[in-house]
């Protein structure tokens, strides 16, 4: 197996920064990018240095990967809107299923290869993409669940306030004593006196 490329030796945080910078620079300005990356490597006390040619090669590969992600996302969005899947959690579920089927095809193709024919970058990018979708889906589902819980809490509070108001009106009309009213609040309504 060939030795790993220098970019692949970057710590995860720096690789994420590199991906963001590649996109921000429009997959260009490799001289400036190499300077910025090597400055960061030096600041972190790492001896690794990466030249503009290595960054250019990696950038071209990553640009293709980013374009495929965008195309897949746009296709999935269009497909879901055509099939009237408006719920965001459902959209993520469908997108994840589609990616799982692609992952299976890639893994199956990789299993048929031997030794140096296997490209670990394909597996890495696919795994990262699936992890990002799963993470995004989980965050959105939690936010949606939190919002549903907040709405339900507010509805319960409004219902209890209305019940208390009606109870107070009924008590006033009936002319009941304070002890009887307190007992009825506790026993029947679960309200505090």
């Amino acid at each position: 197996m060939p030795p790993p490329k220098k970019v692949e030796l970057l710590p995860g945080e720096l690789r994420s920064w590199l991906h963001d910078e590649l996109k921000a620079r429009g997959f260009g300005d490799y001289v400036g990018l190499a300077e910025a990356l090597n400055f960061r490597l030096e600041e972190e006390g790492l001896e690794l240095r990466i030249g503009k040619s290595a960054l250019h090669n990696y950038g071209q590969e990553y640009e293709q990967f980013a374009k495929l992600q965008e195309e897949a996302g746009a296709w999935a969005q269009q497909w879901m809107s055509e099939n009237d899947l408006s719920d965001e959690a459902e959209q993520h579920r469908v997108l994840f299923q589609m990616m799982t089927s692609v992952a299976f095809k890639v893994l199956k193709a990789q299993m048929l290869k031997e030794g140096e024919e296997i490209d670990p970058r394909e597996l890495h990018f696919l795994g990262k993409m699936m992890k990002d979708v799963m993470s995004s889906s989980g965050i959105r589902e939690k936010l949606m669940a939190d919002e549903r819980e907040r709405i339900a809490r507010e509805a319960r509070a409004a219902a209890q306030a209305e019940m208390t108001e009606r109870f107070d009106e009924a008590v006033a009309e009936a002319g009941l004593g304070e002890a009887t009213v307190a007992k009825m609040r506790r026993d029947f309504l679960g309200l505090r006196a």
Side-chain angles (χ1 to χ4, degrees):
M1 184 176 255
K5 295 179 181 177
K6 284 187 174 183
V7 175
E8 294 169 359
L9 299 174
L10 288 172
E13 185 178 300
L14 274 178
R15 194 174 313 177
S16 293
W17 173 86
L18 176 60
H19 291 169
D20 293 341
E21 281 296 305
L22 283 166
K23 290 175 186 175
R25 295 171 189 247
F27 297 95
D29 184 25
Y30 288 100
V31 172
L33 183 58
E35 289 173 8
L37 176 60
N38 287 325
F39 179 76
R40 284 179 163 262
L41 287 167
E42 191 174 323
E43 273 189 331
E44 293 194 18
L46 300 171
E47 294 183 20
L48 178 67
R49 298 295 176 264
I50 300 176
K52 68 178 175 89
S53 298
L55 284 176
H56 183 262
N57 291 339
Y58 183 81
Q60 287 181 323
E61 292 172 4
Y62 185 72
E63 182 178 15
Q64 291 300 316
F65 171 71
K67 283 181 181 177
L68 285 174
Q69 275 188 315
E70 287 176 20
E71 288 175 15
W75 178 84
Q77 193 69 19
Q78 180 182 356
W79 182 84
M80 287 184 273
S81 66
E82 287 173 0
N83 290 290
D84 196 29
L85 296 174
S86 56
D87 181 55
E88 195 166 349
E90 180 65 11
Q91 290 175 359
H92 277 82
R93 187 186 66 73
V94 170
L95 181 58
F96 185 73
Q97 285 178 332
M98 291 165 44
M99 289 178 59
T100 302
S101 65
V102 169
F104 177 74
K105 289 177 184 177
V106 169
L107 290 173
K108 188 174 176 183
Q110 290 293 322
M111 288 173 61
L112 299 175
K113 294 180 180 180
E114 292 186 24
E116 293 181 10
E117 295 176 333
I118 297 174
D119 186 358
R121 288 175 303 207
E122 287 182 38
L123 300 176
H124 167 76
F125 286 138
L126 185 63
K128 183 176 180 351
M129 186 170 43
M130 292 180 71
K131 178 184 164 211
D132 289 347
V133 168
M134 286 181 357
S135 175
S136 171
S137 177
I139 290 168
R140 284 193 169 93
E141 286 178 20
K142 181 173 179 353
L143 289 173
M144 290 168 62
D146 289 348
E147 181 64 10
R148 284 191 295 269
E149 184 179 323
R150 182 191 65 78
I151 291 169
R153 223 179 15 254
E154 288 176 1
R156 283 192 303 272
Q160 188 169 7
E162 183 180 345
M163 187 171 30
T164 301
E165 185 178 327
R166 287 185 181 178
F167 179 79
D168 290 342
E169 289 171 2
V171 165
E173 286 179 25
L176 300 174
E178 284 185 37
T180 305
V181 171
K183 181 173 178 23
M184 288 175 68
R185 279 182 185 271
R186 236 184 2 263
D187 294 349
F188 300 114
L189 299 178
L191 301 174
R192 293 185 185 100

